[in-house]
Amino acid sequence: MKYSKLIAFLFLMTYQVQFAQFTDEINSNRPGRSMMAFAVGKSVIQAETGLYYNNEDHNSLNYKANGFIAELDLRWGLFFEELELIAEFQYQNDKLTSSFGDQNRSALKKTILGAKYLVYDPFKNYEEKPNLYSWKANHSFKWRQLYPAVAVYAGVNLNFSDNPFNYAPNDVLDSKISPKAMLIAQNHFGSRWVLVTNLMYDKIGSEFASINYVLTLTRGFNAEWSGFIENQGYNGNYYSDGLFRIGAAYLFHKNMQIDASFGKNFKNTPGLMNFGVGFSWRFAENYEEVKLEKDNGSKMDKKMKKKGEKESKKRKDAVDLE
């Protein structure tokens, strides 16, 4: 979640003609683990990579594992502004040390192919005009901020190799193919805060099925720097846990971003700790602006607009009387 999301918010709030979901600056999901509601834009290709040092220490089973994790997410806007195809890859290489000896492990730990579609954008076909007669009205709390952008995601986990990381007690092996579904919500509070919520059902129908969530709160400090805090939870038969992450991102080019983050879980069976750096890059040369002309809006929009016009007229009349 980057400061460019905040730029996108201001962009949508300012112009009467909206240019869908594409923004001047890159919109990256990094360095958090949540997925934002908005797509990258039609014909846009985006790569998000990360490299982490990972430490795992299990007090009960008396083992330790140290190594690195490499991640690559590929995002492609296709057919519509609201649609995005996503490929996620995670490779892990570490050394496991236990009472049974040492073991070097390496494998493609995660491969997920999926698609995301934005079903609701609260700022689409909506324009907030400044109130020329009231500073208070311009800086008061806006109830529309409570309306989140909403997207849905569907994907599939692929596991076709002997994967030493996807075993459970009693030698239960993960399924070769298992579905994943997710509901995504994204709120913008003011011009600096963004809250992204992911609710997912992962590895559906397998022994490793779990209901998970991710909450990411991002704050933009200026046009280049942003920071985030995040909480992620897992609830499954073979693994349940909670993790906390913090990090920052720096936008050094409109299509490039670097980031750093630190993460730690809440228990010691096993205890997990990792820190890493990442890079996001966007190829947008093929993007063509898709203008979404304003319509008359929803009933709620009309009601709010009519109320605002009445209040402005009252203030204007009061000024004229003076």
Side-chain angles (χ1 to χ4, degrees):
M1 305 331 108
K2 307 302 156 290
Y3 190 67
S4 50
K5 293 182 184 140
L6 306 175
I7 299 295
F9 168 73
L10 294 175
F11 186 85
L12 292 174
M13 292 290 289
T14 304
Y15 290 93
Q16 182 171 353
V17 179
Q18 300 172 341
F19 293 88
Q21 298 177 63
F22 182 82
T23 55
D24 290 337
E25 290 81 21
I26 184 173
N27 289 322
S28 176
N29 290 321
R30 295 192 54 83
R33 297 300 177 90
S34 61
M35 186 179 294
M36 62 183 292
F38 294 96
V40 293
K42 185 179 178 181
S43 302
V44 174
I45 299 174
Q46 188 162 308
E48 303 172 6
T49 64
L51 184 63
Y52 300 87
Y53 167 78
N54 190 63
N55 176 269
E56 183 175 340
D57 191 346
H58 202 298
N59 288 351
S60 300
L61 299 181
N62 193 29
Y63 75 78
K64 296 181 179 181
N66 295 278
F68 71 88
I69 296 175
E71 294 182 337
L72 171 63
D73 292 356
L74 299 175
R75 303 169 60 188
W76 181 23
L78 187 67
F79 300 131
F80 312 105
E81 284 292 316
E82 300 83 1
L83 180 65
E84 177 179 295
L85 302 184
I86 307 167
E88 303 174 65
F89 306 96
Q90 185 183 83
Y91 172 82
Q92 184 166 341
N93 185 304
D94 65 17
K95 183 177 181 180
L96 177 68
T97 302
S98 68
S99 56
F100 299 100
D102 297 342
Q103 178 187 358
N104 292 317
R105 305 183 298 179
S106 63
L108 191 60
K109 184 177 181 179
K110 180 178 73 174
T111 302
I112 306 176
L113 303 179
K116 177 183 67 180
Y117 187 81
L118 180 73
V119 295
Y120 174 69
D121 179 359
F123 301 109
K124 182 178 180 180
N125 299 319
Y126 172 76
E127 177 191 8
E128 182 179 350
K129 296 182 179 179
N131 191 317
L132 302 179
Y133 303 97
S134 174
W135 181 93
K136 183 178 179 181
N138 289 325
H139 293 83
S140 63
F141 178 81
K142 305 297 190 299
W143 287 102
R144 183 171 286 271
Q145 297 179 26
L146 299 179
Y147 305 163
V150 179
V152 292
Y153 169 92
V156 58
N157 295 277
L158 304 177
N159 180 36
F160 294 119
S161 61
D162 293 331
N163 195 329
F165 302 105
N166 289 348
Y167 280 93
N170 302 320
D171 292 329
V172 176
L173 183 61
D174 198 1
S175 301
K176 298 295 184 182
I177 300 177
S178 57
K180 177 180 180 180
M182 179 162 50
L183 179 66
I184 304 168
Q186 182 171 334
N187 290 88
H188 296 262
F189 302 111
S191 60
R192 290 182 177 269
W193 295 92
V194 177
L195 175 65
V196 176
T197 304
N198 290 177
L199 299 175
M200 69 194 79
Y201 189 12
D202 198 9
K203 300 187 177 181
I204 302 171
S206 74
E207 296 289 340
F208 287 75
S210 63
I211 297 176
N212 312 326
Y213 72 86
V214 189
L215 297 173
T216 307
L217 181 64
T218 301
R219 188 185 192 281
F221 302 114
N222 53 47
E224 291 82 28
W225 284 99
S226 66
F228 85 102
I229 57 174
E230 182 174 88
N231 175 228
Q232 183 172 12
Y234 300 88
N235 185 17
N237 292 331
Y238 284 101
Y239 183 66
S240 295
D241 202 353
L243 297 95
F244 175 78
R245 298 186 186 92
I246 58 173
Y250 178 72
L251 181 72
F252 67 94
H253 184 275
K254 68 176 183 178
N255 292 322
M256 298 180 189
Q257 173 192 278
I258 56 175
D259 62 73
S261 63
F262 171 83
K264 184 75 176 65
N265 71 333
F266 300 143
K267 65 179 187 178
N268 55 19
T269 54
L272 301 173
M273 186 271 293
N274 63 66
F275 59 87
V277 295
F279 174 74
S280 300
W281 170 81
R282 179 178 72 172
F283 178 78
E285 296 299 325
N286 295 330
Y287 180 77
E288 295 183 3
E289 291 178 340
V290 179
K291 296 185 179 182
L292 303 178
E293 300 294 340
K294 281 180 62 67
D295 57 21
N296 293 327
S298 64
K299 292 182 179 179
M300 177 62 72
D301 292 337
K302 294 176 182 177
K303 185 177 180 180
M304 294 175 67
K305 183 178 180 181
K306 188 175 182 180
K307 182 179 179 182
E309 290 174 348
K310 287 182 178 179
E311 292 179 352
S312 296
K313 187 176 185 303
K314 288 181 180 178
R315 294 189 184 92
K316 184 178 179 181
D317 293 340
V319 172
D320 292 340
L321 290 175
E322 293 176 359

